[in-house]
Structure formats: C-alpha cells, structure tokens
Amino acid sequence: MNETFTKSMARNIFYGGSLFFLLVLIGLSFHTVKVLPERDNRQNITPEVALGKKVWEDNNCIGCHTLLGEGAYFAPELGNVYERFGRSKDAIKGFIMSRPADGIPGRRSMPQFNLSEEELDAVAEFLKYTSEINTNNWPPNIQG
C-alpha cells in the first residue's frame, strides 16, 4: 500500500461511517416501534393495573426488588412472581400481607405496608400484568 492516508480519505471514512451507523440507528428504531405493541402487553392495561403501578411506585418497591431486570437487587425479581406463585393473585396478596413487622432473625424481611384490600388487588394485578410481557425469557430462571 504505497498510497498515503490523506485528510480527505479520513474525512470520507468518518462521514461514511457516521452515515452508515445513523441509518442503522434509524432502522433499529423503526423496527422497535413496529414490534413493541406486540410485545409490551399494552392491551391488558386496566385502571386496576395502573393503580397497582401507582402503589408500587408510592411504596418504592423498586428500592428493594427488581422488575424485569430494573431496580435494586436486595429482594427477589418480581417479573415472574405470578408464575412462581402458581398463577394465583391470592397467593401474592397473602405473601404481601403476611410479612412480619419485626422480621426473622438472619433473614431479610419485607416491611409491612398496611395496604388496603383494593391496593393489594391492584398490586397483584400489576404483577400479573408484568409477568405477561414478552421479555425474551427474562428472568432466565423461575426463581427470579
């Protein structure tokens, strides 16, 4: 390769590469927008699911738990908790209500939030909703 690398060659590589990756970004963005409605389960959002998300946020559940891989890793992943509890919203509600206020020695314990029956139903419905989102098999195991 006897030819020297010039500024104009470098500029053309830079502009060509920038244009190529910009087109890749635009293509991936359009693809994501196209397939998102099929994957995100938005048709199942109800007022009860919205209330459950509000209760989730108001009580800072993500401060300890992860949901679909986002959040803290102090407590279990809850993206598939509906599956783990045998597809039973009553089991989820029972677990939330049964948390001891003083905790178990040597174990981390969930605080008692004293949620109303409506809020418990809403949180269970929200967790059911999130378990039905197509996440490409995340979390990778049933334990979360």
Side-chain angles (χ1 to χ4, degrees), residues 104-124:
I104 300 169
R107 282 189 65 183
R108 295 181 289 201
S109 184
M110 195 166 101
Q112 183 58 261
F113 290 108
N114 299 317
L115 301 176
S116 69
E117 189 66 29
E118 179 187 19
E119 291 172 325
L120 284 169
D121 286 334
V123 169

Side-chain angles (χ1 to χ4, degrees), residues 26-58:
I26 291 170
L28 289 173
S29 297
F30 277 118
H31 177 264
T32 300
V33 168
K34 181 181 168 201
V35 300
L36 198 56
E38 302 164 9
R39 298 187 56 156
D40 67 2
N41 199 22
R42 68 178 68 170
Q43 69 277 5
N44 293 330
I45 296 176
T46 63
E48 191 174 30
V49 170
L51 176 61
K53 184 173 187 312
K54 182 178 181 337
V55 172
W56 171 270
E57 291 172 347
D58 289 348

Side-chain angles (χ1 to χ4, degrees), residues 25-143:
L25 174 68
I26 291 170
L28 289 173
S29 297
F30 277 118
H31 177 264
T32 300
V33 168
K34 181 181 168 201
V35 300
L36 198 56
E38 302 164 9
R39 298 187 56 156
D40 67 2
N41 199 22
R42 68 178 68 170
Q43 69 277 5
N44 293 330
I45 296 176
T46 63
E48 191 174 30
V49 170
L51 176 61
K53 184 173 187 312
K54 182 178 181 337
V55 172
W56 171 270
E57 291 172 347
D58 289 348
N59 290 290
N60 191 26
C61 298
I62 206 157
C64 294
H65 293 278
T66 55
L67 186 64
L68 306 178
E70 294 292 325
Y73 290 95
F74 182 74
E77 160 73 42
L78 297 181
N80 62 358
V81 72
Y82 184 67
E83 303 292 326
R84 284 196 311 250
F85 280 72
R87 298 183 161 274
S88 170
K89 291 190 282 185
D90 289 333
I92 293 171
K93 289 169 29 180
F95 186 82
I96 293 171
M97 290 185 313
S98 71
R99 301 313 322 160
D102 56 354
I104 300 169
R107 282 189 65 183
R108 295 181 289 201
S109 184
M110 195 166 101
Q112 183 58 261
F113 290 108
N114 299 317
L115 301 176
S116 69
E117 189 66 29
E118 179 187 19
E119 291 172 325
L120 284 169
D121 286 334
V123 169
E125 190 65 32
F126 173 65
L127 293 173
K128 176 184 180 289
Y129 162 79
T130 58
S131 73
E132 295 169 345
I133 294 172
N134 180 355
T135 60
N136 284 337
N137 299 320
W138 179 266
N141 56 38
I142 192 68
Q143 292 81 21

